[in-house]
Amino acid sequence: MLLYRGLRIAVKARDNYYALLAAGLSFTIVFQAFLNIGVVSASLPLTGIPLPFISYGGTSLVITMGAIGLLPTISFATT
């Protein structure tokens, strides 16, 4: 759902910078989640990436929350 909404915001963005920013932030968060789930299920080798919004990650949590906060800002800037 996060990827869908992020890409929808990217498509409706007013210029290429905001479109690429929204798409990049969405893909980064979703990729981080898939990578963590793959490590936990033992189908990928161990990495140190925490699960977004769930795992204790300190700086990762702050950066992820900032990225999510930018998506509504980009969405409101397009209307």
Side-chain angles (χ1 to χ4, degrees):
M1 188 58 136
L2 177 67
L3 184 62
Y4 170 73
R5 293 292 295 171
L7 291 179
R8 208 169 122 190
I9 291 170
V11 168
K12 293 183 178 186
R14 64 180 169 162
D15 62 4
N16 285 339
Y17 175 75
Y18 290 125
L20 291 174
L21 181 64
L25 292 173
S26 301
F27 276 118
T28 300
I29 294 169
V30 171
F31 177 73
Q32 184 178 358
F34 279 127
L35 188 62
N36 184 281
I37 292 168
V39 168
V40 170
S41 65
S43 57
L44 293 173
L46 290 177
T47 61
I49 296 177
L51 187 62
F53 303 115
I54 305 293
S55 300
Y56 178 74
T59 305
S60 176
L61 180 63
V62 171
I63 298 298
T64 305
M65 291 179 115
I68 290 297
L70 283 174
L71 288 175
T73 304
I74 295 169
S75 177
F76 293 140
T78 61
T79 59

